[in-house]
PDB file of all heavy atoms in Angstrom:
ATOM      1  N   PHE A 229       1.040   5.334   6.903  1.00 72.00           N
ATOM      2  CA  PHE A 229       0.565   6.612   6.509  1.00 72.00           C
ATOM      3  C   PHE A 229       0.248   7.565   7.675  1.00 72.00           C
ATOM      4  O   PHE A 229       0.500   8.735   7.626  1.00 72.00           O
ATOM      5  CB  PHE A 229      -0.784   6.468   5.714  1.00 72.00           C
ATOM      6  CG  PHE A 229      -0.568   5.847   4.362  1.00 72.00           C
ATOM      7  CD1 PHE A 229       0.636   5.379   3.875  1.00 72.00           C
ATOM      8  CD2 PHE A 229      -1.656   5.756   3.466  1.00 72.00           C
ATOM      9  CE1 PHE A 229       0.834   4.900   2.612  1.00 72.00           C
ATOM     10  CE2 PHE A 229      -1.568   5.264   2.189  1.00 72.00           C
ATOM     11  CZ  PHE A 229      -0.280   4.810   1.796  1.00 72.00           C
ATOM     12  N   ALA A 230      -0.231   6.929   8.735  1.00 69.00           N
ATOM     13  CA  ALA A 230      -0.498   7.760   9.985  1.00 69.00           C
ATOM     14  C   ALA A 230       0.692   8.299  10.625  1.00 69.00           C
ATOM     15  O   ALA A 230       0.691   9.394  11.149  1.00 69.00           O
ATOM     16  CB  ALA A 230      -1.285   6.939  10.956  1.00 69.00           C
ATOM     17  N   THR A 231       1.779   7.521  10.519  1.00 66.00           N
ATOM     18  CA  THR A 231       2.947   8.012  11.249  1.00 66.00           C
ATOM     19  C   THR A 231       3.908   8.767  10.308  1.00 66.00           C
ATOM     20  O   THR A 231       4.870   9.523  10.841  1.00 66.00           O
ATOM     21  CB  THR A 231       3.747   6.836  11.908  1.00 66.00           C
ATOM     22  OG1 THR A 231       4.117   5.891  10.858  1.00 66.00           O
ATOM     23  CG2 THR A 231       2.985   6.087  12.896  1.00 66.00           C
ATOM     24  N   ASN A 232       3.774   8.648   8.924  1.00 59.00           N
ATOM     25  CA  ASN A 232       4.742   9.301   8.118  1.00 59.00           C
ATOM     26  C   ASN A 232       3.979   9.817   6.835  1.00 59.00           C
ATOM     27  O   ASN A 232       4.497   9.613   5.788  1.00 59.00           O
ATOM     28  CB  ASN A 232       5.862   8.290   7.690  1.00 59.00           C
ATOM     29  CG  ASN A 232       6.908   8.981   6.939  1.00 59.00           C
ATOM     30  OD1 ASN A 232       7.125  10.147   6.977  1.00 59.00           O
ATOM     31  ND2 ASN A 232       7.637   8.189   6.177  1.00 59.00           N
ATOM     32  N   GLY A 233       2.782  10.332   7.022  1.00 57.00           N
ATOM     33  CA  GLY A 233       1.981  10.619   5.936  1.00 57.00           C
ATOM     34  C   GLY A 233       1.688  12.139   5.711  1.00 57.00           C
ATOM     35  O   GLY A 233       0.833  12.489   5.004  1.00 57.00           O
ATOM     36  N   GLU A 234       2.517  12.993   6.239  1.00 64.00           N
ATOM     37  CA  GLU A 234       2.234  14.421   6.051  1.00 64.00           C
ATOM     38  C   GLU A 234       2.347  14.870   4.543  1.00 64.00           C
ATOM     39  O   GLU A 234       1.826  15.855   4.136  1.00 64.00           O
ATOM     40  CB  GLU A 234       3.178  15.317   6.967  1.00 64.00           C
ATOM     41  CG  GLU A 234       4.701  15.145   6.769  1.00 64.00           C
ATOM     42  CD  GLU A 234       5.248  13.948   7.506  1.00 64.00           C
ATOM     43  OE1 GLU A 234       4.492  13.404   8.384  1.00 64.00           O
ATOM     44  OE2 GLU A 234       6.370  13.664   7.220  1.00 64.00           O
ATOM     45  N   HIS A 235       3.190  14.144   3.786  1.00 63.00           N
ATOM     46  CA  HIS A 235       3.377  14.444   2.400  1.00 63.00           C
ATOM     47  C   HIS A 235       2.164  13.798   1.437  1.00 63.00           C
ATOM     48  O   HIS A 235       2.162  14.083   0.306  1.00 63.00           O
ATOM     49  CB  HIS A 235       4.620  14.181   1.802  1.00 63.00           C
ATOM     50  CG  HIS A 235       4.944  12.699   1.762  1.00 63.00           C
ATOM     51  ND1 HIS A 235       5.259  11.919   2.864  1.00 63.00           N
ATOM     52  CD2 HIS A 235       4.998  11.867   0.741  1.00 63.00           C
ATOM     53  CE1 HIS A 235       5.358  10.653   2.527  1.00 63.00           C
ATOM     54  NE2 HIS A 235       5.278  10.499   1.221  1.00 63.00           N
ATOM     55  N   ARG A 236       1.518  12.792   2.064  1.00 64.00           N
ATOM     56  CA  ARG A 236       0.616  12.036   1.299  1.00 64.00           C
ATOM     57  C   ARG A 236      -0.791  12.766   1.258  1.00 64.00           C
ATOM     58  O   ARG A 236      -1.081  13.567   2.207  1.00 64.00           O
ATOM     59  CB  ARG A 236       0.367  10.688   1.923  1.00 64.00           C
ATOM     60  CG  ARG A 236       1.658   9.778   1.881  1.00 64.00           C
ATOM     61  CD  ARG A 236       1.377   8.474   2.561  1.00 64.00           C
ATOM     62  NE  ARG A 236       2.558   7.759   2.851  1.00 64.00           N
ATOM     63  CZ  ARG A 236       3.152   6.889   2.012  1.00 64.00           C
ATOM     64  NH1 ARG A 236       2.563   6.701   0.718  1.00 64.00           N
ATOM     65  NH2 ARG A 236       4.248   6.265   2.253  1.00 64.00           N
ATOM     66  N   PRO A 237      -1.658  12.404   0.258  1.00 61.00           N
ATOM     67  CA  PRO A 237      -2.957  13.036   0.289  1.00 61.00           C
ATOM     68  C   PRO A 237      -3.757  12.369   1.535  1.00 61.00           C
ATOM     69  O   PRO A 237      -3.397  11.409   1.990  1.00 61.00           O
ATOM     70  CB  PRO A 237      -3.644  12.551  -1.113  1.00 61.00           C
ATOM     71  CG  PRO A 237      -2.652  11.533  -1.651  1.00 61.00           C
ATOM     72  CD  PRO A 237      -1.361  11.636  -0.943  1.00 61.00           C
ATOM     73  N   SER A 238      -4.790  13.044   1.814  1.00 61.00           N
ATOM     74  CA  SER A 238      -5.597  12.637   2.893  1.00 61.00           C
ATOM     75  C   SER A 238      -6.439  11.461   2.481  1.00 61.00           C
ATOM     76  O   SER A 238      -7.055  11.432   1.455  1.00 61.00           O
ATOM     77  CB  SER A 238      -6.573  13.773   3.376  1.00 61.00           C
ATOM     78  OG  SER A 238      -7.440  13.205   4.393  1.00 61.00           O
ATOM     79  N   PHE A 239      -6.435  10.358   3.341  1.00 63.00           N
ATOM     80  CA  PHE A 239      -7.224   9.184   3.024  1.00 63.00           C
ATOM     81  C   PHE A 239      -8.442   9.075   3.947  1.00 63.00           C
ATOM     82  O   PHE A 239      -9.022   8.136   4.046  1.00 63.00           O
ATOM     83  CB  PHE A 239      -6.325   7.877   3.158  1.00 63.00           C
ATOM     84  CG  PHE A 239      -5.379   7.719   2.048  1.00 63.00           C
ATOM     85  CD1 PHE A 239      -3.969   7.922   2.379  1.00 63.00           C
ATOM     86  CD2 PHE A 239      -5.770   7.415   0.793  1.00 63.00           C
ATOM     87  CE1 PHE A 239      -3.095   7.821   1.304  1.00 63.00           C
ATOM     88  CE2 PHE A 239      -4.773   7.304  -0.248  1.00 63.00           C
ATOM     89  CZ  PHE A 239      -3.497   7.424   0.024  1.00 63.00           C
ATOM     90  N   GLY A 240      -8.664  10.144   4.692  1.00 65.00           N
ATOM     91  CA  GLY A 240      -9.791  10.219   5.540  1.00 65.00           C
ATOM     92  C   GLY A 240      -9.497   9.502   6.903  1.00 65.00           C
ATOM     93  O   GLY A 240      -8.407   9.207   7.234  1.00 65.00           O
ATOM     94  N   ALA A 241     -10.661   9.240   7.626  1.00 64.00           N
ATOM     95  CA  ALA A 241     -10.491   8.640   8.959  1.00 64.00           C
ATOM     96  C   ALA A 241     -10.018   7.196   8.882  1.00 64.00           C
ATOM     97  O   ALA A 241      -9.428   6.711   9.868  1.00 64.00           O
ATOM     98  CB  ALA A 241     -11.836   8.818   9.722  1.00 64.00           C
ATOM     99  N   SER A 242     -10.294   6.496   7.820  1.00 73.00           N
ATOM    100  CA  SER A 242      -9.934   5.082   7.818  1.00 73.00           C
ATOM    101  C   SER A 242      -9.202   4.743   6.515  1.00 73.00           C
ATOM    102  O   SER A 242      -9.761   4.177   5.646  1.00 73.00           O
ATOM    103  CB  SER A 242     -11.206   4.105   7.919  1.00 73.00           C
ATOM    104  OG  SER A 242     -10.806   2.827   7.883  1.00 73.00           O
ATOM    105  N   PRO A 243      -7.919   5.102   6.480  1.00 78.00           N
ATOM    106  CA  PRO A 243      -7.163   4.789   5.329  1.00 78.00           C
ATOM    107  C   PRO A 243      -7.146   3.215   5.004  1.00 78.00           C
ATOM    108  O   PRO A 243      -6.979   2.878   3.871  1.00 78.00           O
ATOM    109  CB  PRO A 243      -5.762   5.337   5.486  1.00 78.00           C
ATOM    110  CG  PRO A 243      -5.671   5.493   7.075  1.00 78.00           C
ATOM    111  CD  PRO A 243      -7.061   5.684   7.552  1.00 78.00           C
ATOM    112  N   GLU A 244      -7.175   2.417   6.082  1.00 84.00           N
ATOM    113  CA  GLU A 244      -7.140   0.972   5.802  1.00 84.00           C
ATOM    114  C   GLU A 244      -8.314   0.499   4.881  1.00 84.00           C
ATOM    115  O   GLU A 244      -8.074  -0.429   4.078  1.00 84.00           O
ATOM    116  CB  GLU A 244      -7.224   0.199   7.223  1.00 84.00           C
ATOM    117  CG  GLU A 244      -5.956   0.428   8.077  1.00 84.00           C
ATOM    118  CD  GLU A 244      -6.010   1.672   8.916  1.00 84.00           C
ATOM    119  OE1 GLU A 244      -7.169   2.448   8.876  1.00 84.00           O
ATOM    120  OE2 GLU A 244      -5.092   1.966   9.661  1.00 84.00           O
ATOM    121  N   ALA A 245      -9.451   1.046   5.069  1.00 85.00           N
ATOM    122  CA  ALA A 245     -10.569   0.620   4.250  1.00 85.00           C
ATOM    123  C   ALA A 245     -10.324   0.939   2.780  1.00 85.00           C
ATOM    124  O   ALA A 245     -10.560   0.130   1.933  1.00 85.00           O
ATOM    125  CB  ALA A 245     -11.840   1.268   4.732  1.00 85.00           C
ATOM    126  N   LEU A 246      -9.874   2.188   2.574  1.00 85.00           N
ATOM    127  CA  LEU A 246      -9.555   2.508   1.222  1.00 85.00           C
ATOM    128  C   LEU A 246      -8.424   1.754   0.570  1.00 85.00           C
ATOM    129  O   LEU A 246      -8.579   1.093  -0.503  1.00 85.00           O
ATOM    130  CB  LEU A 246      -9.050   4.050   1.111  1.00 85.00           C
ATOM    131  CG  LEU A 246      -8.491   4.553  -0.201  1.00 85.00           C
ATOM    132  CD1 LEU A 246      -9.627   4.494  -1.227  1.00 85.00           C
ATOM    133  CD2 LEU A 246      -7.935   5.760  -0.029  1.00 85.00           C
ATOM    134  N   LEU A 247      -7.380   1.403   1.417  1.00 87.00           N
ATOM    135  CA  LEU A 247      -6.263   0.595   0.974  1.00 87.00           C
ATOM    136  C   LEU A 247      -6.675  -0.817   0.694  1.00 87.00           C
ATOM    137  O   LEU A 247      -6.229  -1.474  -0.272  1.00 87.00           O
ATOM    138  CB  LEU A 247      -5.150   0.715   1.939  1.00 87.00           C
ATOM    139  CG  LEU A 247      -4.506   2.110   2.054  1.00 87.00           C
ATOM    140  CD1 LEU A 247      -3.654   2.185   3.332  1.00 87.00           C
ATOM    141  CD2 LEU A 247      -3.693   2.369   0.903  1.00 87.00           C
ATOM    142  N   ALA A 248      -7.521  -1.324   1.489  1.00 90.00           N
ATOM    143  CA  ALA A 248      -7.943  -2.784   1.295  1.00 90.00           C
ATOM    144  C   ALA A 248      -8.797  -2.789   0.016  1.00 90.00           C
ATOM    145  O   ALA A 248      -8.578  -3.769  -0.711  1.00 90.00           O
ATOM    146  CB  ALA A 248      -8.918  -3.102   2.512  1.00 90.00           C
ATOM    147  N   ARG A 249      -9.632  -1.806  -0.310  1.00 91.00           N
ATOM    148  CA  ARG A 249     -10.439  -1.775  -1.531  1.00 91.00           C
ATOM    149  C   ARG A 249      -9.417  -1.656  -2.716  1.00 91.00           C
ATOM    150  O   ARG A 249      -9.616  -2.355  -3.692  1.00 91.00           O
ATOM    151  CB  ARG A 249     -11.376  -0.661  -1.395  1.00 91.00           C
ATOM    152  CG  ARG A 249     -12.419  -0.626  -2.557  1.00 91.00           C
ATOM    153  CD  ARG A 249     -13.626   0.307  -2.363  1.00 91.00           C
ATOM    154  NE  ARG A 249     -13.088   1.761  -2.297  1.00 91.00           N
ATOM    155  CZ  ARG A 249     -13.014   2.503  -1.125  1.00 91.00           C
ATOM    156  NH1 ARG A 249     -13.420   1.978  -0.001  1.00 91.00           N
ATOM    157  NH2 ARG A 249     -12.541   3.723  -1.134  1.00 91.00           N
ATOM    158  N   GLN A 250      -8.457  -0.837  -2.603  1.00 90.00           N
ATOM    159  CA  GLN A 250      -7.531  -0.639  -3.672  1.00 90.00           C
ATOM    160  C   GLN A 250      -6.699  -1.896  -3.927  1.00 90.00           C
ATOM    161  O   GLN A 250      -6.450  -2.267  -5.050  1.00 90.00           O
ATOM    162  CB  GLN A 250      -6.600   0.533  -3.398  1.00 90.00           C
ATOM    163  CG  GLN A 250      -7.213   1.870  -3.515  1.00 90.00           C
ATOM    164  CD  GLN A 250      -6.253   2.952  -3.230  1.00 90.00           C
ATOM    165  OE1 GLN A 250      -5.286   2.913  -2.593  1.00 90.00           O
ATOM    166  NE2 GLN A 250      -6.569   4.170  -3.794  1.00 90.00           N
ATOM    167  N   ILE A 251      -6.342  -2.628  -2.935  1.00 91.00           N
ATOM    168  CA  ILE A 251      -5.634  -3.945  -3.080  1.00 91.00           C
ATOM    169  C   ILE A 251      -6.517  -4.857  -3.926  1.00 91.00           C
ATOM    170  O   ILE A 251      -5.943  -5.569  -4.759  1.00 91.00           O
ATOM    171  CB  ILE A 251      -5.074  -4.425  -1.759  1.00 91.00           C
ATOM    172  CG1 ILE A 251      -3.919  -3.635  -1.359  1.00 91.00           C
ATOM    173  CG2 ILE A 251      -4.663  -5.980  -1.911  1.00 91.00           C
ATOM    174  CD1 ILE A 251      -3.078  -4.028  -0.234  1.00 91.00           C
ATOM    175  N   VAL A 252      -7.713  -4.960  -3.640  1.00 93.00           N
ATOM    176  CA  VAL A 252      -8.626  -5.878  -4.339  1.00 93.00           C
ATOM    177  C   VAL A 252      -8.774  -5.457  -5.747  1.00 93.00           C
ATOM    178  O   VAL A 252      -8.668  -6.211  -6.703  1.00 93.00           O
ATOM    179  CB  VAL A 252     -10.043  -5.871  -3.663  1.00 93.00           C
ATOM    180  CG1 VAL A 252     -11.000  -6.632  -4.480  1.00 93.00           C
ATOM    181  CG2 VAL A 252      -9.970  -6.512  -2.253  1.00 93.00           C
ATOM    182  N   GLU A 253      -8.878  -4.141  -5.982  1.00 94.00           N
ATOM    183  CA  GLU A 253      -9.041  -3.576  -7.353  1.00 94.00           C
ATOM    184  C   GLU A 253      -7.784  -3.657  -8.143  1.00 94.00           C
ATOM    185  O   GLU A 253      -7.729  -4.005  -9.302  1.00 94.00           O
ATOM    186  CB  GLU A 253      -9.502  -2.138  -7.310  1.00 94.00           C
ATOM    187  CG  GLU A 253     -10.881  -2.039  -6.806  1.00 94.00           C
ATOM    188  CD  GLU A 253     -11.260  -0.556  -6.471  1.00 94.00           C
ATOM    189  OE1 GLU A 253     -10.436   0.319  -6.552  1.00 94.00           O
ATOM    190  OE2 GLU A 253     -12.468  -0.343  -5.955  1.00 94.00           O
ATOM    191  N   ARG A 254      -6.610  -3.429  -7.520  1.00 94.00           N
ATOM    192  CA  ARG A 254      -5.405  -3.255  -8.193  1.00 94.00           C
ATOM    193  C   ARG A 254      -4.501  -4.489  -8.103  1.00 94.00           C
ATOM    194  O   ARG A 254      -3.598  -4.664  -8.933  1.00 94.00           O
ATOM    195  CB  ARG A 254      -4.567  -2.113  -7.634  1.00 94.00           C
ATOM    196  CG  ARG A 254      -5.214  -0.728  -7.919  1.00 94.00           C
ATOM    197  CD  ARG A 254      -4.418   0.329  -7.290  1.00 94.00           C
ATOM    198  NE  ARG A 254      -4.871   1.729  -7.605  1.00 94.00           N
ATOM    199  CZ  ARG A 254      -4.536   2.832  -7.089  1.00 94.00           C
ATOM    200  NH1 ARG A 254      -3.753   2.756  -5.940  1.00 94.00           N
ATOM    201  NH2 ARG A 254      -5.028   4.003  -7.461  1.00 94.00           N
ATOM    202  N   GLY A 255      -4.811  -5.344  -7.237  1.00 93.00           N
ATOM    203  CA  GLY A 255      -3.936  -6.552  -6.979  1.00 93.00           C
ATOM    204  C   GLY A 255      -3.654  -7.415  -8.257  1.00 93.00           C
ATOM    205  O   GLY A 255      -2.497  -7.757  -8.500  1.00 93.00           O
ATOM    206  N   PRO A 256      -4.698  -7.677  -9.029  1.00 94.00           N
ATOM    207  CA  PRO A 256      -4.442  -8.444 -10.305  1.00 94.00           C
ATOM    208  C   PRO A 256      -3.420  -7.746 -11.326  1.00 94.00           C
ATOM    209  O   PRO A 256      -2.607  -8.407 -11.861  1.00 94.00           O
ATOM    210  CB  PRO A 256      -5.869  -8.690 -10.952  1.00 94.00           C
ATOM    211  CG  PRO A 256      -6.839  -8.569  -9.778  1.00 94.00           C
ATOM    212  CD  PRO A 256      -6.178  -7.543  -8.825  1.00 94.00           C
ATOM    213  N   ALA A 257      -3.500  -6.418 -11.382  1.00 93.00           N
ATOM    214  CA  ALA A 257      -2.585  -5.675 -12.179  1.00 93.00           C
ATOM    215  C   ALA A 257      -1.185  -5.718 -11.682  1.00 93.00           C
ATOM    216  O   ALA A 257      -0.209  -5.971 -12.345  1.00 93.00           O
ATOM    217  CB  ALA A 257      -3.058  -4.285 -12.398  1.00 93.00           C
ATOM    218  N   PHE A 258      -1.140  -5.515 -10.338  1.00 92.00           N
ATOM    219  CA  PHE A 258       0.208  -5.665  -9.587  1.00 92.00           C
ATOM    220  C   PHE A 258       0.747  -7.028  -9.891  1.00 92.00           C
ATOM    221  O   PHE A 258       2.048  -7.165 -10.193  1.00 92.00           O
ATOM    222  CB  PHE A 258       0.125  -5.452  -8.165  1.00 92.00           C
ATOM    223  CG  PHE A 258      -0.064  -4.050  -7.667  1.00 92.00           C
ATOM    224  CD1 PHE A 258      -1.076  -3.784  -6.837  1.00 92.00           C
ATOM    225  CD2 PHE A 258       0.761  -3.014  -8.141  1.00 92.00           C
ATOM    226  CE1 PHE A 258      -1.246  -2.530  -6.378  1.00 92.00           C
ATOM    227  CE2 PHE A 258       0.570  -1.710  -7.730  1.00 92.00           C
ATOM    228  CZ  PHE A 258      -0.401  -1.437  -6.855  1.00 92.00           C
ATOM    229  N   GLU A 259      -0.030  -8.100  -9.697  1.00 92.00           N
ATOM    230  CA  GLU A 259       0.484  -9.418  -9.954  1.00 92.00           C
ATOM    231  C   GLU A 259       0.971  -9.593 -11.371  1.00 92.00           C
ATOM    232  O   GLU A 259       1.956 -10.331 -11.615  1.00 92.00           O
ATOM    233  CB  GLU A 259      -0.652 -10.452  -9.683  1.00 92.00           C
ATOM    234  CG  GLU A 259      -0.905 -10.634  -8.164  1.00 92.00           C
ATOM    235  CD  GLU A 259       0.090 -11.445  -7.429  1.00 92.00           C
ATOM    236  OE1 GLU A 259       0.925 -12.108  -8.113  1.00 92.00           O
ATOM    237  OE2 GLU A 259       0.044 -11.466  -6.271  1.00 92.00           O
ATOM    238  N   ALA A 260       0.197  -9.090 -12.419  1.00 91.00           N
ATOM    239  CA  ALA A 260       0.528  -9.299 -13.805  1.00 91.00           C
ATOM    240  C   ALA A 260       1.826  -8.530 -14.168  1.00 91.00           C
ATOM    241  O   ALA A 260       2.626  -9.037 -14.951  1.00 91.00           O
ATOM    242  CB  ALA A 260      -0.579  -8.755 -14.643  1.00 91.00           C
ATOM    243  N   MET A 261       2.176  -7.479 -13.584  1.00 92.00           N
ATOM    244  CA  MET A 261       3.281  -6.633 -13.916  1.00 92.00           C
ATOM    245  C   MET A 261       4.560  -7.045 -13.098  1.00 92.00           C
ATOM    246  O   MET A 261       5.654  -6.863 -13.555  1.00 92.00           O
ATOM    247  CB  MET A 261       2.979  -5.236 -13.694  1.00 92.00           C
ATOM    248  CG  MET A 261       2.106  -4.578 -14.722  1.00 92.00           C
ATOM    249  SD  MET A 261       1.924  -2.808 -14.544  1.00 92.00           S
ATOM    250  CE  MET A 261       1.480  -2.547 -12.879  1.00 92.00           C
ATOM    251  N   ALA A 262       4.325  -7.582 -11.918  1.00 94.00           N
ATOM    252  CA  ALA A 262       5.533  -7.825 -10.996  1.00 94.00           C
ATOM    253  C   ALA A 262       6.379  -8.948 -11.495  1.00 94.00           C
ATOM    254  O   ALA A 262       5.911 -10.041 -11.714  1.00 94.00           O
ATOM    255  CB  ALA A 262       4.947  -8.091  -9.629  1.00 94.00           C
ATOM    256  N   THR A 263       7.647  -8.662 -11.625  1.00 93.00           N
ATOM    257  CA  THR A 263       8.718  -9.671 -11.816  1.00 93.00           C
ATOM    258  C   THR A 263       9.030 -10.329 -10.510  1.00 93.00           C
ATOM    259  O   THR A 263       9.310 -11.547 -10.426  1.00 93.00           O
ATOM    260  CB  THR A 263       9.944  -8.955 -12.463  1.00 93.00           C
ATOM    261  OG1 THR A 263       9.539  -8.135 -13.452  1.00 93.00           O
ATOM    262  CG2 THR A 263      10.961 -10.012 -12.866  1.00 93.00           C
ATOM    263  N   VAL A 264       8.959  -9.530  -9.472  1.00 95.00           N
ATOM    264  CA  VAL A 264       9.306 -10.007  -8.140  1.00 95.00           C
ATOM    265  C   VAL A 264       8.276  -9.412  -7.106  1.00 95.00           C
ATOM    266  O   VAL A 264       7.884  -8.281  -7.259  1.00 95.00           O
ATOM    267  CB  VAL A 264      10.646  -9.491  -7.690  1.00 95.00           C
ATOM    268  CG1 VAL A 264      10.988  -9.822  -6.196  1.00 95.00           C
ATOM    269  CG2 VAL A 264      11.774 -10.082  -8.602  1.00 95.00           C
ATOM    270  N   VAL A 265       7.802 -10.268  -6.193  1.00 96.00           N
ATOM    271  CA  VAL A 265       6.944  -9.734  -5.138  1.00 96.00           C
ATOM    272  C   VAL A 265       7.535  -9.972  -3.833  1.00 96.00           C
ATOM    273  O   VAL A 265       8.102 -11.040  -3.464  1.00 96.00           O
ATOM    274  CB  VAL A 265       5.535 -10.460  -5.107  1.00 96.00           C
ATOM    275  CG1 VAL A 265       4.597  -9.978  -4.047  1.00 96.00           C
ATOM    276  CG2 VAL A 265       4.872 -10.354  -6.507  1.00 96.00           C
ATOM    277  N   ILE A 266       7.654  -8.966  -3.025  1.00 97.00           N
ATOM    278  CA  ILE A 266       8.239  -9.000  -1.740  1.00 97.00           C
ATOM    279  C   ILE A 266       7.310  -8.459  -0.662  1.00 97.00           C
ATOM    280  O   ILE A 266       6.814  -7.363  -0.708  1.00 97.00           O
ATOM    281  CB  ILE A 266       9.566  -8.116  -1.643  1.00 97.00           C
ATOM    282  CG1 ILE A 266      10.557  -8.646  -2.594  1.00 97.00           C
ATOM    283  CG2 ILE A 266      10.265  -8.153  -0.231  1.00 97.00           C
ATOM    284  CD1 ILE A 266      11.926  -7.714  -2.729  1.00 97.00           C
ATOM    285  N   ASP A 267       7.013  -9.434   0.328  1.00 97.00           N
ATOM    286  CA  ASP A 267       6.071  -8.965   1.348  1.00 97.00           C
ATOM    287  C   ASP A 267       6.936  -8.186   2.365  1.00 97.00           C
ATOM    288  O   ASP A 267       7.863  -8.739   2.944  1.00 97.00           O
ATOM    289  CB  ASP A 267       5.401 -10.214   1.974  1.00 97.00           C
ATOM    290  CG  ASP A 267       4.378 -10.846   1.004  1.00 97.00           C
ATOM    291  OD1 ASP A 267       3.598 -10.106   0.462  1.00 97.00           O
ATOM    292  OD2 ASP A 267       4.513 -12.098   0.813  1.00 97.00           O
ATOM    293  N   VAL A 268       6.553  -6.996   2.717  1.00 96.00           N
ATOM    294  CA  VAL A 268       7.318  -6.131   3.467  1.00 96.00           C
ATOM    295  C   VAL A 268       6.825  -5.778   4.797  1.00 96.00           C
ATOM    296  O   VAL A 268       7.352  -4.960   5.550  1.00 96.00           O
ATOM    297  CB  VAL A 268       7.623  -4.700   2.657  1.00 96.00           C
ATOM    298  CG1 VAL A 268       8.411  -5.075   1.368  1.00 96.00           C
ATOM    299  CG2 VAL A 268       6.361  -4.000   2.426  1.00 96.00           C
ATOM    300  N   ASP A 269       5.706  -6.439   5.192  1.00 95.00           N
ATOM    301  CA  ASP A 269       4.989  -6.016   6.376  1.00 95.00           C
ATOM    302  C   ASP A 269       5.961  -5.952   7.612  1.00 95.00           C
ATOM    303  O   ASP A 269       5.838  -5.042   8.422  1.00 95.00           O
ATOM    304  CB  ASP A 269       3.999  -7.067   6.807  1.00 95.00           C
ATOM    305  CG  ASP A 269       2.812  -7.045   5.770  1.00 95.00           C
ATOM    306  OD1 ASP A 269       2.433  -5.933   5.199  1.00 95.00           O
ATOM    307  OD2 ASP A 269       2.261  -8.058   5.547  1.00 95.00           O
ATOM    308  N   ASP A 270       6.813  -6.963   7.819  1.00 94.00           N
ATOM    309  CA  ASP A 270       7.596  -7.029   9.008  1.00 94.00           C
ATOM    310  C   ASP A 270       9.055  -6.734   8.791  1.00 94.00           C
ATOM    311  O   ASP A 270       9.919  -7.013   9.600  1.00 94.00           O
ATOM    312  CB  ASP A 270       7.487  -8.408   9.703  1.00 94.00           C
ATOM    313  CG  ASP A 270       6.016  -8.648  10.021  1.00 94.00           C
ATOM    314  OD1 ASP A 270       5.457  -7.780  10.571  1.00 94.00           O
ATOM    315  OD2 ASP A 270       5.615  -9.813   9.782  1.00 94.00           O
ATOM    316  N   LEU A 271       9.325  -6.002   7.647  1.00 96.00           N
ATOM    317  CA  LEU A 271      10.781  -5.820   7.290  1.00 96.00           C
ATOM    318  C   LEU A 271      11.178  -4.350   7.523  1.00 96.00           C
ATOM    319  O   LEU A 271      10.356  -3.411   7.347  1.00 96.00           O
ATOM    320  CB  LEU A 271      11.043  -6.103   5.798  1.00 96.00           C
ATOM    321  CG  LEU A 271      10.688  -7.505   5.371  1.00 96.00           C
ATOM    322  CD1 LEU A 271      10.945  -7.642   3.875  1.00 96.00           C
ATOM    323  CD2 LEU A 271      11.513  -8.524   6.090  1.00 96.00           C
ATOM    324  N   THR A 272      12.287  -4.091   7.962  1.00 95.00           N
ATOM    325  CA  THR A 272      12.888  -2.730   7.996  1.00 95.00           C
ATOM    326  C   THR A 272      13.203  -2.214   6.600  1.00 95.00           C
ATOM    327  O   THR A 272      13.392  -3.094   5.724  1.00 95.00           O
ATOM    328  CB  THR A 272      14.166  -2.663   8.849  1.00 95.00           C
ATOM    329  OG1 THR A 272      15.152  -3.391   8.117  1.00 95.00           O
ATOM    330  CG2 THR A 272      13.951  -3.270  10.202  1.00 95.00           C
ATOM    331  N   PRO A 273      13.469  -1.002   6.407  1.00 94.00           N
ATOM    332  CA  PRO A 273      13.843  -0.508   5.044  1.00 94.00           C
ATOM    333  C   PRO A 273      15.122  -1.190   4.612  1.00 94.00           C
ATOM    334  O   PRO A 273      15.265  -1.507   3.419  1.00 94.00           O
ATOM    335  CB  PRO A 273      14.048   0.983   5.240  1.00 94.00           C
ATOM    336  CG  PRO A 273      12.990   1.356   6.343  1.00 94.00           C
ATOM    337  CD  PRO A 273      13.065   0.088   7.239  1.00 94.00           C
ATOM    338  N   ASP A 274      16.055  -1.407   5.438  1.00 97.00           N
ATOM    339  CA  ASP A 274      17.314  -2.062   5.057  1.00 97.00           C
ATOM    340  C   ASP A 274      17.125  -3.542   4.570  1.00 97.00           C
ATOM    341  O   ASP A 274      17.690  -3.935   3.678  1.00 97.00           O
ATOM    342  CB  ASP A 274      18.395  -2.022   6.203  1.00 97.00           C
ATOM    343  CG  ASP A 274      18.973  -0.621   6.459  1.00 97.00           C
ATOM    344  OD1 ASP A 274      18.850   0.209   5.432  1.00 97.00           O
ATOM    345  OD2 ASP A 274      19.549  -0.376   7.473  1.00 97.00           O
TER     346      ASP A 274
END
């Protein structure tokens, strides 16, 4: 978000804290809906 976030809403000074909270809150719903889960932390877009 910090490097490519000009089109995103502002998440304040610490977007990681908001995102961590959202993952805890939304994670179970993501798990329930996902047919496939891909961890993308270290992957390029390709």
